C-alpha cells in the first residue's frame, strides 16, 4: 500500500513550474494532440459508417418523396449523403443526431417525466448501487467463509464459477418470475440480478486479498497470541483493501450491466434498459444510442466514484498517495 | 478481553533461569528421503537478566533456535522451558517480545498506532495504552515521529519503532532476530549503543541473533557460538566486560580477546564440516 512516490510525476511538476508556457504547450502537444486526434478519427469513421450503412434507406426515402420521372432519376451524391445522416430511423445514427436526442431527452423534458433520460438513468443508478451493495456484502461474506473453511472452497467454488457461466440475459427473466412468486418486487429483484453479477469479482478479489497479509506480519500476530478475529480485523482486512477496490471497480460495472439486463425484463419500472427495449420495439435507433451513451456515462461515473473512494480511503490509511 | 495476567506464574526453584533447553533436536522433513538435521542436541540455560547472543554462520540454526523459544517453530525432540513454562504457554502469557529482521510495521498504521498494536491485541485499557506508547517511543527516541507513517522513516528508525513495539507490553524476554542486519554500520553502531543502554536500564533478558562478532561481543553477557550442519553449540563464552559499555571498548584488549575466542569457535565449527 505504501509504494514509493512516482518520481516521474514530481519531475513533470518541477519542470512545469520552471518553464511555464513552453512546458504547457509541449504537454498539450504530447498529450492533447493524440487524444483529440484519435477522437476526430473515431468521429470521422462513425460518419463514414453511418453514410455507408444508411445509404439504402436514404435512397428509398428520396425515391418515395419524389414522383414520376424524378423517381427514376439518378440521385446526386450530395443529396443521398445528406439524407443518410438525417433519417428518422437510421440503421446507424450520426453522432450529431445522438447529441440532439440527448439534449432533448435530458434538458427539454422535466426529469420526473418518463420521457426524460435523466429519470431513467437515476432509476438505473439506484438499482445498480443497491445491487453493488448486495453483491459487495454477499461477496465479502462468501470470501470470508471460503478462506476460513478450506473444504468449502473445494465444494462451493465450482458452483460459483458455474453460476457465472450462465448468460444473465437467460437467467434474469426467470429470476424476476421466481422472485415475483415469492412476493419480492420493486427495486429488489433488479438489485438481486445486479448482485448476481457483481458478487463474483468481489469474492475472487477478497479471497486473494484476505490471504495477502505478509507471513512476517502473521507471525507478529502469532507472537502476541492474537485471536483470529483480531488478526482478521487488524491485519487481513486492511491488507485486503487494495484488492477490494480493484474488485469493486469491476463489480460496480457488472452491477450496471446486470441492472440494465434486468430492466429489459422488468421494463415497467423504467431505467436505461427499458429505454433500450422501447427504442428497439419502435425502431428508434437514435433513442437506443442515446440510452447507450447514458449507460456508458453512468459506468464511467460509478467506476470513478469507486476510484475516488479508494484514493480517500488509502490516503486515510497512510498510503503516500501514489 | 482480560489484561495481561500478572504476576506471571513461575516455578519457584528456577526463577533465576529465563530459558532452559535440554537435548533439543529439530529435523526438517523427517519423513522425506533427505531429512535435514537443523539442530542437534542443544543444551542451554539462559539466566534471567542476561544478554545472550547466538552467533554463527548462515544455516547454523541460530534463528531457528530462537523461533523455537518463541513457539513459532516446534522442535522434533527435547525439552524447552521459557519462564518455567512451555514455549506455547509463554507465548500465550505474552512473556516475550519478538523483534524481527525486518521492522514488520503495518504500513497503514502510524508509528504510534504500530506501537499500540500489541497493546490493543492484549487488551490494555486506553489510558494505559497511551502512557505506554509515549514511554516506549521516548525510550527509542522517536517521540517526534509518533504520527508519521512507516514509509516516512528511515530503516534504522523503523527498526527502533519495532523495538518500541516489542517493549510496549513490558515482556520479560526480548527476542531479537538480527534486528540490525539490514542497516549500515554507522546506524548499527548507534543502535547497538542505544540497545545496550536500554537493556541496562530495563534489566530484561535479551536473546540476540547476529552474525557480527563485534556486535555480539559489545552487547552480550554471554555468547553462544553455533556451528552448522547439523546446528549445534560449539562454544559458550562469558563476556564479562564492564556492564557500562561505550563504543570505544571495542578497542580494548579484553574485547579483542573475547572476539578472538568467538572467531576461534566459528573457525573450529567450520573446519568440522570441511576437514
Amino acid at each position: 500500500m505504501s509504494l514509493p512516490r512516482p518520481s516521474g510525476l514530481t519531475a513533470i511538476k518541477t519542470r512545469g513550474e520552471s518553464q511555464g508556457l513552453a512546458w504547457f504547450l509541449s504537454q498539450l502537444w504530447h498529450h492533447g494532440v493524440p487524444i483529440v486526434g484519435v477522437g476526430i478519427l473515431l468521429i470521422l469513421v462513425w460518419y463514414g459508417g453511418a453514410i455507408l450503412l444508411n445509404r439504402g434507406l436514404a435512397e428509398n426515402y428520396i425515391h418515395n418523396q419524389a414522383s414520376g420521372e424524378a423517381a427514376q432519376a439518378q440521385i446526386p451524391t450530395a443529396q443521398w449523403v445528406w439524407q443518410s445522416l438525417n433519417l428518422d430511423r437510421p440503421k446507424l445514427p450520426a453522432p450529431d443526431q445522438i447529441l440532439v436526442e440527448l439534449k432533448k431527452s435530458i434538458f427539454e423534458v422535466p426529469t420526473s417525466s418518463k420521457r426524460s433520460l435523466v429519470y431513467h438513468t437515476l432509476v438505473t443508478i439506484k438499482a445498480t448501487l443497491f445491487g453493488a451493495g448486495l453483491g459487495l456484502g454477499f461477496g465479502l461474506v462468501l470470501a470470508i467463509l471460503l478462506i476460513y473453511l478450506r473444504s468449502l472452497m473445494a465444494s462451493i467454488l465450482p458452483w460459483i464459477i458455474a453460476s457465472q457461466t450462465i448468460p444473465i440475459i437467460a437467467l434474469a427473466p426467470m429470476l424476476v418470475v421466481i422472485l415475483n412468486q415469492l412476493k419480492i418486487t420493486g427495486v429488489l429483484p433488479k438489485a438481486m440480478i445486479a448482485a448476481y453479477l457483481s458478487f463474483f469479482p468481489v469474492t475472487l478479489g477478497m479471497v486473494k486479498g484476505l490471504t495477502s497479509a505478509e507471513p512476517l506480519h502473521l507471525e507478529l500476530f502469532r507472537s502476541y497470541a492474537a485471536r483470529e478475529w483480531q488478526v482478521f480485523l487488524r491485519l487481513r482486512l486492511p491488507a485486503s483493501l487494495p484488492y477490494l477496490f480493484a474488485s469493486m471497480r469491476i463489480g460496480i460495472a457488472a452491477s450496471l450491466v446486470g441492472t440494465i439486463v434486468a430492466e429489459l425484463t422488468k421494463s415497467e419500472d423504467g431505467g436505461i434498459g427499458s429505454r433500450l427495449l422501447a427504442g428497439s420495439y419502435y425502431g428508434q435507433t437514435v433513442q437506443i444510442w442515446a440510452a447507450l451513451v447514458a449507460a456508458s456515462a453512468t459506468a464511467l461515473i460509478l467506476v470513478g466514484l469507486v476510484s475516488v473512494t479508494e484514493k480517500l480511503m488509502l490516503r486515510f490509511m497512510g498510503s503516500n498517495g501514489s | 478481553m482480560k489484561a495481561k495476567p500478572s504476576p506471571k506464574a513461575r516455578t519457584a526453584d528456577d526463577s533465576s533461569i529465563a530459558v532452559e533447553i535440554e537435548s533439543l533436536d529439530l529435523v526438517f522433513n523427517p519423513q522425506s528421503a533427505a531429512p535435514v538435521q537443523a539442530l542437534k542436541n542443544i543444551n542451554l540455560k539462559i539466566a534471567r537478566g542476561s544478554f545472550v547472543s547466538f552467533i554463527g554462520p548462515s544455516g547454523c540454526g541460530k534463528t531457528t533456535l530462537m523461533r523455537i523459544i518463541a513457539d513459532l517453530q516446534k522442535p522434533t525432540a527435547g525439552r524447552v522451558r521459557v519462564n518455567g513454562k512451555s514455549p506455547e504457554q509463554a507465548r500465550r502469557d505474552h512473556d516475550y517480545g519478538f523483534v524481527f529482521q525486518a521492522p514488520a510495521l503495518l504500513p497503514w498504521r502510524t508509528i504510534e498506532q504500530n506501537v499500540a498494536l500489541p497493546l490493543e491485541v492484549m487488551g490494555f485499557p486506553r489510558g494505559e495504552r497511551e502512557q505506554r506508547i509515549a514511554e516506549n517511543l521516548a525510550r527509542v527516541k522517536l517521540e517526534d515521529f509518533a504520527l508519521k507513517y512507516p514509509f516516512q522513516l528511515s530503516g534504522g528508525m523503523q527498526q527502533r519503532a519495532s523495538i518500541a513495539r516489542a517493549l510496549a507490553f513490558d515482556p520479560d524476554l526480548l527476542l531479537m532476530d538480527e534486528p540490525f542486519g539490514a542497516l549500515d554500520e554507522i546506524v548499527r553502531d548507534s543502535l547497538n549503543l542505544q540497545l545496550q543502554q536500554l537493556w541496562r536500564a530495563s534489566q530484561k533478558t535479551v536473546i540476540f541473533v547476529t552474525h557480527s562478532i563485534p556486535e555480539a561481543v559489545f552487547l552480550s553477557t554471554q555468547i553462544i557460538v553455533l556451528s552448522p550442519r547439523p546446528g549445534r553449540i560449539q562454544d559458550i563464552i562469558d563476556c564479562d566486560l564492564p556492564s557500562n559499555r561505550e563504543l570505544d571498548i571495542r578497542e580494548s584488549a579484553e574485547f579483542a580477546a573475547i572476539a578472538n575466542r568467538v572467531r576461534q569457535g566459528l573457525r573450529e565449527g567450520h573446519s568440522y564440516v570441511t576437514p
Side-chain angles (χ1 to χ4, degrees):
Chain A
M1 223 169 291
S2 55
L3 300 166
R5 189 178 289 277
S7 56
L9 218 69
T10 356
I12 288 171
K13 222 197 228 159
T14 19
R15 232 186 302 148
E17 281 153 10
S18 61
Q19 296 185 6
L21 188 65
W23 169 84
F24 178 75
L25 288 176
S26 112
Q27 287 297 302
L28 195 66
W29 177 255
H30 284 106
H31 297 287
V33 169
I35 292 171
V36 173
V38 168
I40 290 173
L41 196 71
L42 277 177
I43 290 170
L44 285 178
V45 168
W46 193 334
Y47 272 110
I51 291 165
L52 285 176
L53 284 169
N54 299 334
R55 180 177 181 175
L57 286 176
E59 284 176 343
N60 279 345
Y61 180 85
I62 294 163
H63 281 301
N64 291 342
Q65 292 294 306
S67 56
E69 283 169 33
Q72 304 302 316
Q74 184 74 30
I75 305 163
T77 310
Q79 196 185 346
W80 68 255
V81 166
W82 186 87
Q83 191 57 55
S84 67
L85 297 177
N86 289 283
L87 290 162
D88 268 349
R89 295 173 183 185
K91 283 180 182 161
L92 177 62
D96 59 275
Q97 287 180 295
I98 298 167
L99 284 178
V100 168
E101 168 68 20
L102 281 173
K103 180 167 160 280
K104 198 175 74 190
S105 56
I106 291 173
F107 298 109
E108 290 169 12
V109 282
T111 53
S112 57
S113 157
K114 286 216 166 188
R115 280 164 56 233
S116 165
L117 198 51
V118 178
Y119 167 83
H120 290 286
T121 305
L122 287 176
V123 168
T124 300
I125 288 178
K126 194 171 139 200
T128 301
L129 289 178
F130 193 8
L134 281 180
L136 174 65
F138 182 66
L140 201 57
V141 168
L142 201 58
I144 293 168
L145 286 176
L146 286 174
I147 63 159
Y148 284 117
L149 304 168
R150 289 278 161 182
S151 56
L152 200 68
M153 183 89 102
S155 52
I156 282 192
L157 206 56
W159 290 98
I160 297 172
I161 293 167
S163 78
Q164 298 299 306
T165 62
I166 303 168
I168 190 70
I169 194 102
L171 199 64
M174 291 193 289
L175 278 177
V176 169
V177 170
I178 292 169
L179 291 173
N180 196 40
Q181 285 294 306
L182 298 172
K183 303 269 183 283
I184 298 172
T185 52
V187 74
L188 197 57
K190 293 195 289 183
M192 285 175 80
I193 290 163
Y196 184 91
L197 284 189
S198 63
F199 88 89
F200 186 64
V202 173
T203 298
L204 285 195
M206 287 309 276
V207 164
K208 184 98 182 121
L210 290 172
T211 51
S212 72
E214 285 177 43
L216 192 60
H217 288 151
L218 286 167
E219 284 205 327
L220 181 73
F221 277 79
R222 184 176 156 78
S223 81
Y224 299 152
R227 300 190 184 286
E228 187 46 48
W229 65 266
Q230 294 175 317
V231 178
F232 181 83
L233 282 183
R234 293 191 165 77
L235 179 59
R236 291 190 187 278
L237 203 57
S240 74
L241 277 188
Y243 292 84
L244 177 67
F245 284 109
S247 301
M248 272 315 285
R249 272 202 283 267
I250 304 169
I252 201 149
S255 179
L256 178 65
V257 171
T259 302
I260 290 174
V261 169
E263 285 165 352
L264 293 177
T265 304
K266 264 184 81 66
S267 61
E268 70 273 15
D269 300 339
I272 292 174
S274 78
R275 279 290 270 200
L276 290 172
L277 190 70
S280 75
Y281 214 79
Y282 299 109
Q284 293 289 350
T285 43
V286 182
Q287 185 189 321
I288 294 176
W289 280 88
L292 287 179
V293 170
S296 319
T298 307
L300 281 178
I301 291 168
L302 290 175
V303 172
L305 222 63
V306 174
S307 298
V308 169
T309 315
E310 176 179 22
K311 284 232 167 63
L312 290 175
M313 192 89 170
L314 293 188
R315 182 162 308 164
F316 175 71
M317 289 183 54
S319 162
N320 52 7
S322 54
Chain B
M1 284 294 300
K2 62 179 173 48
K4 190 170 72 143
S6 75
K8 284 164 193 161
R10 259 177 225 150
T11 48
D13 56 326
D14 57 357
S15 60
S16 65
I17 302 298
V19 177
E20 190 175 9
I21 297 173
E22 277 171 27
S23 345
L24 179 126
D25 281 318
L26 175 67
V27 182
F28 286 122
N29 307 322
Q31 308 300 328
S32 76
V36 177
Q37 179 103 38
L39 291 169
K40 190 174 168 137
N41 194 27
I42 304 286
N43 292 285
L44 190 62
K45 274 185 185 162
I46 294 175
R48 192 167 303 286
S50 60
F51 193 121
V52 177
S53 287
F54 295 167
I55 191 167
S58 0
C60 71
K62 54 192 188 297
T63 293
T64 310
L65 183 55
M66 187 145 93
R67 288 171 55 84
I68 289 173
I69 295 169
D71 189 39
L72 296 175
Q73 180 94 51
K74 299 272 184 220
T76 317
R79 180 169 168 274
V80 182
R81 308 302 283 172
V82 179
N83 282 346
K85 296 172 274 193
S86 71
E88 186 181 351
Q89 193 55 49
R91 178 172 64 84
R92 295 197 182 288
D93 290 349
H94 311 136
D95 279 3
Y96 71 81
F98 203 108
V99 178
F100 294 90
Q101 199 166 352
L105 300 170
L106 300 181
W108 54 84
R109 282 177 172 244
T110 60
I111 296 307
E112 164 182 278
Q113 290 167 339
N114 265 291
V115 176
L117 180 68
L119 305 175
E120 289 171 19
V121 168
M122 296 171 191
F124 283 80
R126 181 175 289 275
E128 194 180 346
R129 239 155 49 195
E130 279 163 13
Q131 178 210 327
R132 279 170 181 262
I133 292 165
E135 190 181 303
N136 283 290
L137 282 179
R139 262 183 172 169
V140 297
K141 303 187 177 72
L142 281 177
E143 322 71 318
D144 297 339
F145 297 87
L147 300 176
K148 299 281 185 203
Y149 283 97
F151 78 92
Q152 294 169 305
L153 269 60
S154 70
M157 289 161 95
Q158 289 186 19
Q159 198 55 283
R160 267 150 60 198
S162 91
I163 292 172
R165 179 179 62 185
L167 291 171
F169 56 99
D170 199 24
D172 289 351
L173 261 164
L174 196 55
L175 307 180
M176 307 181 83
D177 180 12
E178 289 187 51
F180 310 137
L183 305 175
D184 68 65
E185 206 163 332
I186 299 162
V187 174
R188 197 173 174 147
D189 276 355
S190 117
L191 288 183
N192 279 340
L193 195 58
Q194 286 182 37
L195 178 60
Q196 223 272 322
Q197 289 159 355
L198 222 144
W199 165 74
R200 224 160 11 91
S202 70
Q203 284 302 312
K204 290 186 186 306
T205 312
V206 181
I207 303 179
F208 190 89
V209 167
T210 181
H211 52 234
S212 157
I213 297 172
E215 188 171 69
V217 180
F218 178 73
L219 288 169
S220 313
T221 55
Q222 193 172 51
I223 300 169
I224 316 286
V225 182
L226 290 144
S227 312
R229 287 173 297 259
R232 66 204 183 281
I233 293 176
Q234 182 71 30
D235 198 359
I236 296 178
I237 301 162
D238 285 325
C239 189
D240 43 11
L241 298 167
S243 69
N244 186 4
R245 301 174 190 180
E246 293 298 330
L247 283 172
D248 53 15
I249 200 172
R250 295 181 298 186
E251 317 296 330
S252 71
E254 297 94 323
F255 189 97
I258 297 168
N260 244 334
R261 193 170 154 199
V262 175
R263 197 168 291 116
Q264 189 69 27
L266 289 171
R267 201 173 294 140
E268 275 165 21
H270 195 254
S271 66
Y272 182 84
V273 184
T274 48

